[in-house]
Amino acid sequence: MAINIQLEDATSSGEGDVETGGENVVAEINITPLTDVFLVLLIIFMVTSTALVESEASSRAGMKVVLPKANTAGPVSQRRSDPVLTVTKSNEVYLGAKKIEIANLETEIHKALTDVGSETLLIRGDKSVLLGAAVDIMSVAKKAGANHIAILTAPAK
C-alpha cells in the first residue's frame, strides 16, 4: 500500500508545480527579534556609559562641597590629570578621593603633582572655609611645587 501526497501552493498556477513535483519556498527574514536585541544593547550601553561618567566625575571630585559663587571668574583650562584638592565644611582635606592629614599635605601634593607631571593644583573649597585655612593650604601647595593654583567656583545665577 503506497500513499502519494502532492503539495500545491496557493499562489501557483497548479499545473507546472504538480508535474515537476517542486514546491515554492518563500524565504523571509523576521527582523523583529534582531531589533529587540539591538534595543536592549542600546539601553545597556546608555546605562553603563552614564554610570562610568558619573563614577569618574565623583572620583575626581572628592567630597561634595558647596562651591562659592563668582560671576567674573573665567574658565579653568583643566587637564584631565590635574590633581584636585578639596576642603570640606569641617576642614577635612581630600586629594582626589583620598583623605589627607594636614601634617602630610605637602608631601602628598608633591607626590600627586609629580605622578601626573603637572604644575597646576585645582582647589575646591566649601564656601564656609575660612580665608586663613585657604591661604595656609595654598602656601603649602606652593612649597610642594604647584606653580599654578586655581580655585574652583560655581557660576553665579
Side-chain angles (χ1 to χ4, degrees), residues 3 11 24 37 55 78 81 84 91 105-106 114 118 151:
I3 299 176
T11 59
N24 284 345
V37 169
S55 69
Q78 176 185 2
S81 60
V84 178
N91 286 331
L105 186 61
E106 184 176 350
T114 55
S118 176
I151 298 175

Side-chain angles (χ1 to χ4, degrees), residues 90-147:
S90 57
N91 286 331
E92 294 176 329
V93 179
Y94 293 85
L95 191 57
K98 179 182 174 188
K99 186 174 179 180
I100 304 296
E101 297 297 325
I102 296 294
N104 302 332
L105 186 61
E106 184 176 350
T107 57
E108 292 291 335
I109 291 174
H110 181 71
K111 182 179 177 230
L113 289 171
T114 55
D115 285 348
V116 297
S118 176
E119 295 181 345
T120 302
L121 178 69
L122 303 176
I123 298 178
R124 296 175 65 238
D126 195 271
K127 67 180 183 179
S128 63
V129 173
L130 298 176
L131 181 62
V135 170
D136 291 342
I137 289 172
M138 287 189 282
S139 65
V140 169
K142 267 301 201 200
K143 287 182 193 175
N147 292 331

Side-chain angles (χ1 to χ4, degrees), residues 1-7 18:
M1 172 181 228
I3 299 176
N4 189 6
I5 299 176
Q6 291 184 354
L7 299 175
V18 173

Side-chain angles (χ1 to χ4, degrees), residues 36-51:
D36 291 344
V37 169
F38 282 139
L39 288 176
V40 167
L41 289 175
L42 177 67
I43 291 170
I44 290 171
F45 174 74
M46 289 176 10
V47 169
T48 56
S49 65
T50 304

